[in-house]
């Protein structure tokens, strides 16, 4: 399990989400409260959109709390749209290529959760990555494979359908070759315009997911855990949901790859 | 605060102390139970004695639990005398030069504790390092400064007196220029023959320190926290003690740098 | 291209090959003379055999010349059989998982060379890794894939035939989907008993490979470049050769995966 | 010796100086042509000014050419004023705290050169750092000590005089306690408004220093080596010079700390 936070709105310094709040993402790297692994210190990363269509990407293998570069970057960079992640490995190595977010072209992607027994069907998951995207397979995580599969399923044209198709395939593999829990996931991703998020599980235990609009900032945070423990206005996103955030607007729709699977 | 473990006895694989026990040092890096900072993930290190008088030294900035090199080294190396440390920074950067143990010639040294307000008297502490040892000042920690001061006070000829003199000078600086708590410390160090340890505080809160002889291994572990939570035979070392471990023998004597100071 | 050195014989300190000679492997990391890339600074690694059947493994992403751990380890560790490598990436990332040697069980493996256009047929190469070895696929290099394919072809029972079969498959992929030069390679590998090496190219430009017995040390070095520039006794291994080193003995036989391929 | 490049002018992507030119700073990290150490791969760093008075700072220990974060940051960040450095250690460890630039408040500083026998008078140099700046002493380089001494000499009010005073003190120490060459240096530093540079040596061998205005970019590069090997317009800055760059203007004045010293 990991923790992540994303932001969409008027440009803010990245530290306003990542470092400064009382339960900021960096604090969550030392003491997350809504997941089984309070310590998320197997690397971190951030992707932020600026003047170019492609996001900037900074990832490293240290704990987020001890990285001097992260402190300086988040105090210097302002962005209207960014994704940040602190990692707790479920098995694959602590290496930059296994750190989230993953970036392909203008798309960025990050993930939290479990695919039970993934190591037993990793090669089958990788086989579902299209040829032209395989060069972007740099690490060994389930997360990167899911992202590349979703790109292959048409993430650029229909993000919800593509994520559902990719998740359904992963769930099918987990049922055939893996183990329970088959799928527990949250993810956030972006093309630089909209911010997408989803929350889904094949059982009753979808990882936590919240969002909150801030009038002060003129923007919205979408997070694994609220950034302040006693702040009003944090809304929990229901399990089995797919969210589109654009400007101040929110669209939350059902996300049911499991039904898609049975229909297939 | 940090956690550490040392061993003296018949040669064993380092993993038998560092990785394999139920509350091994690597486990303590994620969840220590007898100190305020359960996570000790700001680097780690180990020094081990083999065929040469100088110990081997391996230190890195990742959390101990995620370092593949550490796993392989501790599964491969056998030693009759080694020191291992997991670090929780009290301020100075996460860098290899700030990781314990520190090594000068055949001496190795590691430390856990606090010198209150150290940053306010760092330069005064460094000024007490002798000229001929200053080239060994690589980092910015209080720990390394204490070690080099102790070497300057004659660690090689009278370890207890040298550590008392160095600690007394540190305590005087902390009282003049720092803040409470002035000194809370445990330390372990070795010349490759004997293993030394001390436990001391200028207040009532000396950090924890234990030792245990194992007939199975034919050796003794000296540790911040017992390596198994429910194992009999762990003996707590009293505060204000200086210990010498040689073969199977233990000598525990009072350690009172505070009295030395007032006598000076 | 990369540079490597291996040793088999009476136990010596690793530094006697890796650091101390005038043209040691560490020197070659800054200024190799017999390849197109004089700087080999994209990580390094070493595998050494000791008391256990599985070798120790130490790899990191810094240049070999600046790693303090490497200096200490090679000054401390003695071994009768070890492999060491300095890397110049031909494309894949600088990460520990892409550093040589690779280790599976008691086997270690390292490689130097090129498979032309590998990125275009990486997934096809990975598809040839057997299911039960796929969990050892940690990085993205051609080298690791070659090693795992060779294990799948029976490296443990007939090393020469297994390496020929794996190389032939790689060469076929390079001819079908890659580009010239199809194969240029040297490799060294070991099961902890024997040291194997091979030199092969599909064109006229096989990378350099030498060996030399030292009476002083009672052992043999097998290297990309002689460890002293003006030392007598270095013998060049001919292209298209497979070598077995055991004790003081050397067996050099033709290595013709290209013929095997056409026969298949 | 190291290599560095700075820029002042209309905002450009950092890659336009650091990565893209034919003899960019990253190329110089692999093959510098105007200094004794062609390989400058002991870490790198960059400081860039944006919306806040304090610059952003990114430093790491890998070679500049292999750092994926550096590629992404320089392709994403635009700045009107930045400093970048690739390091070849003259002795101190490869660690982030020893990488340039150094930053204190809104000031950034980087350096290339030698102080002969520095290790023999390091503690004397450090003793010249004022108390209130000592907390910024993080590493062990001569460069950081020079910067902190210059700040103590009044860098904020009279940069030329402060650098001359600091350099004179360093040169005096080198003559008393060090060895020849006593001082060979170039440096660049900034308060976020102006860019300063100097070139000086106590002998005939001041390191190289060039600058060039680009009408295309509307800005000026100040560099150890021209960014394109055959590009017209690169002007060499004479030895014993102190330069102030502001907007499109250049002021180059004599820099003679040696005379200041004898006058003192």
């Amino acid at each position: 399990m990991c923790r992540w936070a994303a932001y969409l709105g008027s440009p803010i310094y990245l530290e306003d989400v990542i470092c400064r709040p009382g339960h900021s993402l960096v604090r969550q790297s030392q003491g997350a409260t809504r997941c089984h692994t309070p310590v998320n210190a197997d690397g971190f990363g951030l992707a932020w959109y600026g003047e170019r269509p492609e996001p900037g990407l900074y990832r490293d293998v240290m704990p987020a709390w001890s990285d001097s570069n992260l402190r300086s970057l988040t105090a210097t960079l302002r962005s209207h749209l960014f994704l940040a992640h602190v990692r707790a490995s479920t098995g694959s190595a602590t290496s930059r290529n296994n750190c989230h977010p993953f970036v392909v072209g203008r798309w960025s992607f990050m993930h939290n959760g479990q695919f039970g027994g993934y190591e037993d069907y990793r090669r089958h998951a990788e086989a579902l990555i299209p040829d032209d995207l395989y060069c972007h397979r740099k690490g060994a995580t389930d997360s990167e494979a899911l992202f590349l599969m979703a790109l292959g399923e048409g993430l650029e044209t229909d993000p919800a359908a593509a994520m559902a198709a990719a998740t359904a395939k992963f769930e099918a593999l987990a049922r055939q070759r893996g183990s329970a829990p088959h799928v527990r996931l949250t993810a956030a991703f972006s093309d630089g315009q909209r911010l997408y998020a989803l929350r889904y599980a094949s059982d009753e235990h979808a990882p936590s997911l919240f969002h909150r609009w801030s009038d002060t900032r003129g923007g919205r945070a979408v997070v694994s855990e609220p950034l302040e423990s006693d702040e009003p206005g944090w809304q929990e996103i229901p399990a089995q949901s797919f969210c589109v955030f654009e400007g101040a607007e929110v669209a939350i729709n059902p996300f049911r790859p499991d039904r898609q699977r049975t229909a297939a």
Side-chain angles (χ1 to χ4, degrees), chain A residues 40-260:
Chain A
N40 294 272
D42 298 328
F44 66 87
L46 55 93
W48 67 98
Y49 291 90
E51 298 180 50
R52 287 187 162 167
E54 299 81 15
L57 181 64
Y58 175 62
R59 304 186 293 183
D60 214 343
V61 296
M62 302 171 78
W65 71 74
S66 70
D67 185 59
S68 51
N69 288 324
L70 182 67
R71 268 196 305 281
S72 182
L73 285 168
T74 59
T76 308
L77 294 171
R78 276 160 56 93
S79 172
H80 70 286
L81 176 50
F82 59 87
L83 288 72
H85 188 275
V86 293
R87 183 166 178 254
S89 170
T90 51
S92 52
T94 299
S95 89
R96 285 189 184 178
N97 286 330
N98 288 343
C99 288
H100 309 223
F102 305 97
V103 168
V104 173
R106 62 200 169 91
W107 284 88
S108 57
F109 177 91
M110 62 186 177
H111 162 240
N112 163 44
Q114 284 176 274
F115 294 101
Y118 175 67
E119 196 51 37
D120 292 332
Y121 62 88
R122 176 159 67 104
R123 75 174 312 152
H124 302 277
E126 289 176 347
L128 298 172
I129 300 170
D131 271 3
D132 61 330
L133 290 165
Y134 206 80
C135 60
H136 298 289
R137 176 61 166 170
K138 305 285 190 191
T141 60
D142 46 8
S143 312
E144 186 189 43
L146 178 66
F147 175 38
L148 297 176
M149 280 168 61
L151 280 169
E153 296 286 345
L155 194 68
E156 302 202 45
T157 50
D158 187 340
M163 280 305 307
T167 304
K169 287 184 176 177
F170 247 96
E171 186 169 340
L173 284 172
R175 289 184 188 277
Q176 288 161 32
R177 301 174 182 277
S179 58
H182 300 107
V183 182
R184 290 177 184 168
L185 84 88
T186 67
F189 46 101
S190 179
D191 58 359
Q193 300 297 120
R194 294 181 192 82
L195 174 64
Y196 303 92
L198 64 87
R199 183 185 184 202
Y200 174 74
S202 58
D203 63 11
E204 305 299 302
H205 302 289
S208 58
L209 185 61
F210 296 84
H211 70 112
R212 182 177 182 276
W213 174 266
S214 163
D215 281 332
T216 320
R217 287 179 183 153
R220 183 179 308 278
V222 184
V223 299
S224 298
E225 304 192 3
L227 298 174
E228 301 283 357
S229 56
D230 55 355
E231 191 177 34
W234 289 100
Q235 300 180 49
E236 185 159 19
I237 293 167
Q240 329 299 56
S241 296
F242 187 93
C243 315
V244 184
F245 304 100
E246 186 168 15
E249 292 184 19
V250 180
I252 302 183
N253 288 300
F255 181 74
R256 299 307 303 253
D258 46 345
R259 294 188 184 161
Q260 183 168 6

